[in-house]
Amino acid sequence: MYQLVVKPRAISMAKEAYDWYEEQLPGLGNRFLGELDTCFNKLEKQPLLYAKIKNNFRQVLFASFPFEIIKDGVVVYAVFHTSQSLKKKFRK
């Protein structure tokens, strides 16, 4: 199993996405967090299943968030809502 590290920026982006989903429909933000938790669990177990998208960045397609595998760890740099600018996606 890999160690999961979620960067502060990714946590902030997840909170923004949660808030946005809650504005759309109460309870939808909690569903988002549940899906995010499921993705994080998958990343800890098998991060190599996901394709590289740029340099060493890989991506889980659910609410897209890039991550990088470093030795026996996985680093999540962003939780990216697809309505956001792509420029935000690849910043560390």
Side-chain angles (χ1 to χ4, degrees):
M1 182 164 322
Y2 291 79
Q3 179 183 356
L4 182 67
V5 176
V6 182
K7 295 290 191 173
R9 179 173 173 263
I11 293 169
S12 176
M13 293 173 85
K15 170 132 180 39
E16 287 177 23
Y18 170 85
D19 292 342
W20 185 86
Y21 282 118
E22 279 298 305
E23 287 177 14
Q24 306 312 302
L25 180 69
L28 196 55
N30 289 330
R31 286 181 55 196
F32 165 76
L33 292 179
E35 289 294 321
L36 185 60
D37 187 53
T38 298
C39 285
F40 285 165
N41 288 331
K42 288 178 183 178
L43 281 176
E44 286 180 313
K45 293 175 185 168
Q46 296 181 304
L48 295 171
L49 288 179
Y50 303 98
K52 288 184 180 179
I53 55 170
K54 182 177 179 180
N55 301 325
N56 284 329
F57 287 98
R58 296 171 185 261
Q59 175 173 286
V60 175
L61 291 178
F62 126 73
S64 170
F65 56 99
F67 66 94
E68 183 176 27
I69 301 168
I70 300 175
K71 294 185 183 175
D72 60 347
V74 178
V75 179
V76 176
Y77 290 101
V79 175
F80 183 75
H81 190 279
T82 56
S83 68
Q84 296 174 321
S85 166
L86 287 176
K87 291 179 183 179
K88 288 178 138 183
K89 193 173 191 175
F90 295 108
R91 288 187 296 182
K92 286 189 176 184

